[in-house]
Amino acid sequence: MPGGLMIPGRNMPTAAAMIGGLASYAASLGQNMMDGHHQLAMMQQQQHQNHGQQQQHPPQAATSESDARGPRHDELMMESKSGSDNMEGGAGSGSGGEELQEDLSLQPARKKRYHRHTQHQIQELEAFFKEYPHPDDKQRKELSRELGLEPLQVKFWFQNKRTQMKTQQERHENMQLRAENEKLRAENARYKDALANASCPNCGGPATAVIGEMSFDEHHLRIENARLRDEVDRISTIAAKYVGKPAGSLLPNLSNISSASMAPYPPPPPLSSHHLLPGGTDMFGGLHLHGAAAGFDKGLVVELAVAAMEELVRMAQLGEPLWIPALVVDGATIETLNEEEYARGFPSGVGPKLPELRSEASRETVVVIMNHVNLIEMLMDVNQWSTLFSSIVSRAATLEVLSTGVAGNYNGALQLMTAEFQMPSPLVPTRESQFLRYCKQHTDGSWAVVDVSVEGLRASGQAGARGRRRPSGCLIQEMPNGYSRVTWVEHVEADDMMVHDLYRPLVCSGLAFGARRWAAALERQCERLASAMASGVPAGPSSGGDAVGVVTSVEGRRSMLRLAERMVTSFCGGVTASTTHQWTKLSGSGAEDVRVMTRKSVDDPGRPPGIILNAATSFWLPVPPARVFGFLRDDATRSEWDILSNGGDVQEMAHIANGRDHGNAVSLLRVNNANSNQSNMLILQECCTDATGSYVIYAPVDVVAMNVVLNGGDPDYVALLPSGFAILPDGSGAGGAPPGFAVLPDGPGAGGGGGGGGGSLLTVAFQILVDSVPTAKLSLGSVATVNSLIACTVERIKAAVAADNIGGGGAVPQ
């Protein structure tokens, strides 16, 4: 090989190829640079055109020149890179490439600017956000001026802050929901395990048929039941067109309504729970029957309550011929129900009447001093209701609360209750009933509370043998100054075969358990409650004396009234023929038989511990009840019948009026007995009277305990054994005297209530502690002593009648 001569390798490019490549690269580079300069010129022109728009649209403006041309700069970089990659050969790094890189390095690189607020700015923004999370334009401009920021920066900061707070709140709520979901899943799994392992209590087998899903047969039976109900409604509508007029117009002469009644009530809607509230609201949608009501069908219970409410409201508002005058007592007309009109006006009612029971229906309207809200609350609370009517209700209980009402009140409340109704005599059996109590507010603002017996609703039950309570209750209208107008309707079916002949005329007249007695008791008790709430303090005894100022405080006055109320309740409950009492007849015959009953008192703060002997008897007097009441409550004539006073003088130390009638009062008496070692003995006495009866009830009280009560102490711990008298009309008017006697007319001394004419039925009752040891046995001597005490008291009262000492009246042989 010649020296200095280099032979090119196989893969080396030739000179021609290298020259061609350089020419191609130069052409490409020139073209790219021309395009790049042209595009840069276009972008600068566009930037100058948008310079004016930046003042109107700041958010869209670029923050720097590099941002404005950043995209095109990247594009140029990519094109330059692709141009260099197109060069053949790995070197490609001649003088042209170095010039290109040096030219590109002269262009400014793209940078993203970030603005961070100072700590002071963040603190001020946070503080302002707590006060105003949504600032307006004026607040944003002022805040931006104070912090040295742009208004848009302030606006965006608040938007971001609100979004951040919302996100945190949603995250917290999601965590709570997730925890609750896990809890429900665990509880659901536990219930599924319990259902899978449950067994039938009757057969011991699996209980899937009882507590699982509804069976196929049951589903079809429910569908068939709904179809039959619709069919019955359709047939009833067709029958009403051909048989007679609609139910709302079956009673003729609806315009002939007494002045005491209100406007006619519209025809009743179909018996459906959807008519219980305006707008079709089903207030019994969540009704679940369990406990005492487990044996009832829900649909039947709801329909019975709705039908009873409709019947009560119509019977309270309609006049003649549905209601006709029957008796006139004390100048007031007592209405009775026209059974024929009732059968035509209420063809279905709540069931047919039972022929073996006697029907009683009456209506009475009174105005009471109590607002409708408090009155409804007392009627729907079983304890307050039994206390309000302590002379009528001996015991009562709520078996089941089926519905508590809607809108925070008793509208729609439905309860299953049981009660025993009494007369103050062991000769009249009590009436027991299990009934539904339903309360509803009507569109005119009035309220109604209805009771209806549930006998016969159970699948295997029959109507009670002793009686049945048809729709009975009251319609209440609000009046000014806290008064309420109450229309009471009492409609019952009862078996009175066990009533003594002495009380049969009174029971059959409807005065014993009728609406007049309920309304009179309500009016008297409302006056009593108003007196208890009064802020005045009595000045002293009504008969004068030196005992002025015994009751010196409002608290002492109320405590004394509460003690007297408990005394009256104890007396009324201890003198009746309740099923919980076992009376034993001692001696005598006819109506003057003395009956005794023993009770043991253990751990009862209201009674002394030991054996308590109750003794009672009832007899007839040929003078009006008002005159008997005036004689027994008079302190001047007390020594004529009160054996325990031993002829001592009786002084009234305190007197608290309890109503408009001057006979309604609570008194504190002191007996000054000169023949006894005890110089003083205190007696708490309450006298109450209304249009249906009167009571004189008293009890000896301990001096120390009474001082605690007069100072406002708790009266529930004062031991009482009340005795007294219950005075009722005989129910037969002037012609009701027994053979051999004639009733004398009222004398000038007559006063009080309880009927102004006819004879009187007087019940005398004593409660005496015969032994302070509860486990001791009753001795015959104690029974003989009590028998002698009550017989002597009766003879003294009869002697006063015969001697013409009761208000100028008496009895004379015919």
Side-chain angles (χ1 to χ4, degrees):
M1 178 180 300
L5 181 63
M6 297 181 62
I7 300 174
R10 182 176 302 177
N11 295 327
M12 291 293 293
T14 60
M18 292 179 63
I19 294 174
L22 289 175
S24 175
Y25 168 75
S28 174
L29 178 60
Q31 183 65 32
N32 288 337
M33 292 185 65
M34 291 178 62
D35 294 340
H37 285 295
H38 178 71
Q39 291 180 1
L40 285 175
M42 293 291 292
M43 290 182 63
Q44 290 178 358
Q45 183 179 1
Q46 183 69 24
Q47 182 177 3
H48 286 295
Q49 292 177 357
N50 294 339
H51 178 71
Q53 298 179 3
Q54 291 179 359
Q55 304 298 328
Q56 300 177 357
H57 307 281
Q60 299 177 1
T63 58
S64 64
E65 184 180 356
S66 61
D67 293 340
R69 60 184 187 180
R72 184 55 187 167
H73 178 73
D74 294 340
E75 187 177 357
L76 289 175
M77 289 290 294
M78 293 298 296
E79 291 179 355
S80 300
K81 184 177 180 180
S82 61
S84 62
D85 291 340
N86 289 332
M87 292 178 58
E88 294 185 6
S93 57
S95 59
E98 293 177 356
E99 292 177 359
L100 175 63
Q101 293 179 359
E102 189 174 351
D103 183 55
L104 291 176
S105 62
L106 296 177
Q107 299 181 3
R110 178 185 180 187
K111 295 182 180 179
K112 187 174 183 180
R113 298 177 59 188
Y114 294 94
H115 178 79
R116 296 186 179 275
H117 302 303
T118 64
Q119 189 68 23
H120 172 69
Q121 291 174 340
I122 294 176
Q123 291 178 354
E124 293 295 329
L125 290 172
E126 292 282 356
F128 197 86
F129 181 81
K130 293 180 181 180
E131 298 291 334
Y132 306 99
H134 297 273
D136 53 14
D137 294 340
K138 183 178 179 181
Q139 292 174 332
R140 287 197 300 268
K141 290 180 181 179
E142 182 178 358
L143 189 60
S144 64
R145 183 171 60 254
E146 294 177 357
L147 300 179
L149 298 174
E150 294 293 333
L152 281 179
Q153 291 179 303
V154 176
K155 177 180 180 181
F156 295 154
W157 187 92
F158 274 90
Q159 290 179 354
N160 295 337
K161 185 65 176 178
R162 287 193 295 267
T163 304
Q164 179 184 8
M165 297 297 293
K166 182 178 180 181
T167 304
Q168 293 178 356
Q169 182 179 1
E170 291 177 352
R171 185 182 299 110
H172 179 68
E173 293 177 353
N174 290 338
M175 293 176 61
Q176 290 183 339
L177 293 176
R178 189 177 296 106
E180 185 69 19
N181 188 20
E182 295 297 333
K183 182 180 177 180
L184 293 176
R185 287 177 180 273
E187 187 175 1
N188 188 18
R190 187 171 66 254
Y191 286 154
K192 286 183 177 180
D193 295 340
L195 291 176
N197 300 327
S199 60
C200 179
N202 298 326
C203 62
T208 55
V210 178
I211 57 180
E213 297 182 355
M214 185 186 303
S215 63
F216 180 80
D217 295 337
E218 183 180 357
H219 179 69
H220 276 272
L221 287 176
R222 289 180 179 272
I223 296 177
E224 183 67 14
N225 188 21
R227 188 188 64 80
L228 292 176
R229 286 179 182 274
D230 295 338
E231 185 70 14
V232 168
D233 294 341
R234 187 179 62 84
I235 294 177
S236 299
T237 304
I238 297 175
K241 296 180 180 179
Y242 292 97
V243 175
K245 297 180 180 179
S249 59
L250 283 174
L251 285 177
N253 301 327
L254 290 182
S255 60
N256 187 13
I257 300 177
S258 61
S259 59
S261 60
M262 297 171 290
Y265 194 65
L271 300 183
S272 171
S273 60
H274 295 282
H275 295 272
L276 295 177
L277 277 180
T281 303
D282 186 0
M283 66 177 65
F284 294 137
L287 176 62
H288 300 285
L289 304 182
H290 52 85
F296 300 138
D297 180 78
K298 172 186 173 181
L300 295 179
V301 168
V302 174
E303 290 190 4
L304 178 63
V306 176
M309 177 62 68
E310 295 168 357
E311 180 173 325
L312 172 72
V313 173
R314 293 181 61 199
M315 291 186 67
Q317 294 179 341
L318 296 178
E320 294 186 14
L322 181 63
W323 295 96
I324 56 178
L327 298 174
V328 178
V329 178
D330 294 342
T333 302
I334 299 179
E335 297 175 315
T336 185
L337 183 65
N338 188 337
E339 295 291 345
E340 295 181 357
E341 291 293 335
Y342 175 78
R344 287 196 294 266
F346 302 89
S348 57
V350 293
K353 292 191 174 183
L354 302 179
E356 64 273 15
L357 301 178
R358 186 181 61 85
S359 178
E360 296 179 6
S362 56
R363 183 175 67 172
E364 187 74 16
T365 300
V366 292
V367 177
V368 298
I369 181 172
M370 180 179 290
N371 62 68
H372 68 287
V373 177
N374 294 337
L375 187 55
I376 290 295
E377 182 178 357
M378 298 189 73
L379 293 177
M380 297 304 296
D381 184 270
V382 64
N383 295 324
Q384 298 187 55
W385 175 66
S386 57
T387 302
L388 186 66
F389 297 100
S390 59
S391 60
I392 304 176
V393 181
S394 59
R395 53 192 177 93
T398 299
L399 302 179
E400 197 77 29
V401 177
L402 305 178
S403 176
T404 58
V406 295
N409 53 35
Y410 286 101
N411 184 22
L414 182 64
Q415 302 176 3
L416 178 62
M417 304 176 62
T418 180
E420 184 182 51
F421 308 107
Q422 64 184 359
M423 282 287 292
S425 174
L427 302 181
V428 182
T430 57
R431 295 179 176 179
E432 295 183 81
S433 178
Q434 189 178 96
F435 54 89
L436 291 172
R437 174 161 292 180
Y438 174 38
C439 177
K440 180 183 178 182
Q441 183 182 17
H442 296 277
T443 55
D444 59 352
S446 62
W447 288 78
V449 179
V450 63
D451 298 343
V452 60
S453 292
V454 295
E455 285 84 355
L457 280 184
R458 298 184 187 273
S460 58
Q462 299 294 333
R466 296 287 300 276
R468 184 171 63 170
R469 191 166 176 80
R470 299 185 72 84
S472 305
C474 58
L475 184 66
I476 304 171
Q477 285 183 298
E478 183 182 4
M479 296 186 67
N481 301 324
Y483 284 79
S484 298
R485 176 190 176 93
V486 180
T487 301
W488 201 285
V489 175
E490 199 67 18
H491 193 187
V492 298
E493 297 175 88
D495 180 13
D496 298 328
M497 296 298 297
M498 301 300 294
V499 177
H500 196 278
D501 293 337
L502 187 66
Y503 281 85
R504 189 175 296 277
L506 178 63
V507 174
C508 293
S509 66
L511 297 177
F513 296 96
R516 184 176 176 85
R517 187 180 176 209
W518 285 93
L522 177 63
E523 183 180 14
R524 173 170 51 83
Q525 287 292 88
C526 289
E527 292 178 357
R528 177 190 177 89
L529 292 175
S531 176
M533 296 302 296
S535 59
V537 179
S542 60
S543 58
D546 56 356
V548 177
V550 172
V551 184
T552 58
S553 64
V554 177
E555 292 76 11
R557 183 175 184 270
R558 293 177 180 175
S559 296
M560 185 174 172
L561 289 176
R562 286 175 54 194
L563 183 61
E565 181 182 34
R566 183 163 64 85
M567 178 182 67
V568 172
T569 303
S570 177
F571 173 83
C572 294
V575 75
T576 64
S578 174
T579 55
T580 59
H581 298 167
Q582 296 181 356
W583 292 97
T584 302
K585 185 166 64 173
L586 292 181
S587 62
S589 60
E592 297 180 19
D593 295 335
V594 178
R595 288 167 168 78
V596 296
M597 172 184 59
T598 59
R599 289 187 293 179
K600 294 182 179 181
S601 176
V602 181
D603 297 332
D604 187 355
R607 291 192 181 95
I611 297 180
I612 301 174
L613 182 63
N614 289 36
T617 186
S618 299
F619 57 96
W620 182 82
L621 287 175
V623 291
R627 290 161 62 182
V628 178
F629 174 69
F631 168 73
L632 293 175
R633 74 180 184 89
D634 190 0
D635 298 337
T637 60
R638 188 182 187 94
S639 59
E640 297 184 22
W641 57 265
D642 191 358
I643 301 175
L644 298 179
S645 64
N646 293 326
D649 295 334
V650 178
Q651 180 185 4
E652 187 181 49
M653 300 180 64
H655 180 93
I656 302 177
N658 245 352
R660 290 175 297 181
D661 196 302
H662 64 278
N664 293 328
V666 176
S667 304
L668 184 62
L669 309 176
R670 181 173 62 189
V671 179
N672 300 319
N673 191 351
N675 300 325
S676 176
N677 295 329
Q678 296 180 350
S679 59
N680 293 316
M681 181 178 65
L682 296 181
I683 295 178
L684 180 66
Q685 176 176 289
E686 176 164 355
C687 303
C688 50
T689 181
D690 56 46
T692 60
S694 305
Y695 296 87
V696 178
I697 304 170
Y698 60 93
V701 293
D702 183 68
V703 177
V704 177
M706 197 64 206
N707 286 332
V708 174
V709 173
L710 294 178
N711 291 327
D714 189 359
D716 294 337
Y717 294 95
V718 178
L720 290 177
L721 286 180
S723 303
F725 307 93
I727 311 155
L728 302 176
D730 58 10
S732 300
F741 291 91
V743 180
L744 297 179
D746 292 350
S760 302
L761 298 175
L762 181 62
T763 297
V764 183
F766 290 99
Q767 295 188 48
I768 299 176
L769 181 67
V770 296
D771 200 314
S772 59
V773 180
T775 58
K777 294 185 178 180
L778 182 65
S779 63
L780 295 178
S782 300
V783 176
T785 301
V786 174
N787 187 20
S788 175
L789 174 63
I790 197 169
C792 186
T793 303
V794 171
E795 290 300 326
R796 287 194 176 193
I797 295 175
K798 287 187 175 183
V801 172
D804 198 17
N805 289 336
I806 303 182
V812 296
Q814 286 183 338

